Amino acid sequence: MAVLTENEQKFETLIDGIVNQHYAICDHFISTEFAEALKNQLLTKFVANKFSQASVGQGAAQKQHLEIRSDSILWIENDSLDPLERKYLNFVGEFMQYMNLTCFTGLNDFELHYACYPEGSFYRKHVDSFANDKSRQYSLIVYLNPDWTASDGGQLKLYLDDKTVEISPVSGRAVCFPSHLIPHEVANSNKKRLSLTGWLKK
Ligand code: OGA
Ligand code: MN
């Protein structure tokens, strides 16, 4: 087999996890420097009041439910010209293409948002695909939290058939899973928890 590029090795790590255990973790999916830059950008936009309280559901059924989720989000336009956002959008696009080439996934779109979970916030158990819109195929989350410890909480809990997995939101780490298949939640976060969340779609 041809020698894989650094990015292809990361994509293979994610695909391997999805195929073999229905979820994948890839540490250092983005570099420390890139994660730091994205974190600073997120915080700049957050303090400039660009974020909105996240909602649940879609279309006419879309509604804020603070008892279900208490994070704030900011969508990233797919045609953003911001250099940092462009770099991340291109990276996700490259992953999508690699999935299509190697796994025949037929993905043709993706959507991304910044997320900020203020201290004390959470997202209760849910699945990421909507009742009337099954276009979300894979959820892809990248964390932007240096120095995260277990006592900071905010773990992503994945409810698999035979067990529960808890994942800490440490900087540079990516988690990926099929959007319709894996119920999951974000445990109460004891400090500000930052991430980029996205969905690969078809
Ligand atoms: C979501 C979600 C998980 C996380 O935004 O739908 O489940 O770890 N996020 O941030
Ligand atoms: Mn989710």
Side-chain angles (χ1 to χ4, degrees), residues 27-48:
D27 284 336
H28 311 292
F29 187 64
I30 61 172
S31 71
T32 310
E33 299 72 37
F34 190 28
E36 183 69 18
L38 285 166
K39 182 193 82 170
N40 291 335
Q41 167 121 321
L42 184 161
L43 288 172
T44 302
K45 292 182 186 249
F46 187 76
V47 298

Side-chain angles (χ1 to χ4, degrees), residues 123 126-128 139 141 177 184 199:
Y123 192 167
H126 65 281
V127 288
D128 281 349
S139 305
I141 306 146
F177 53 86
H184 56 280
W199 294 275

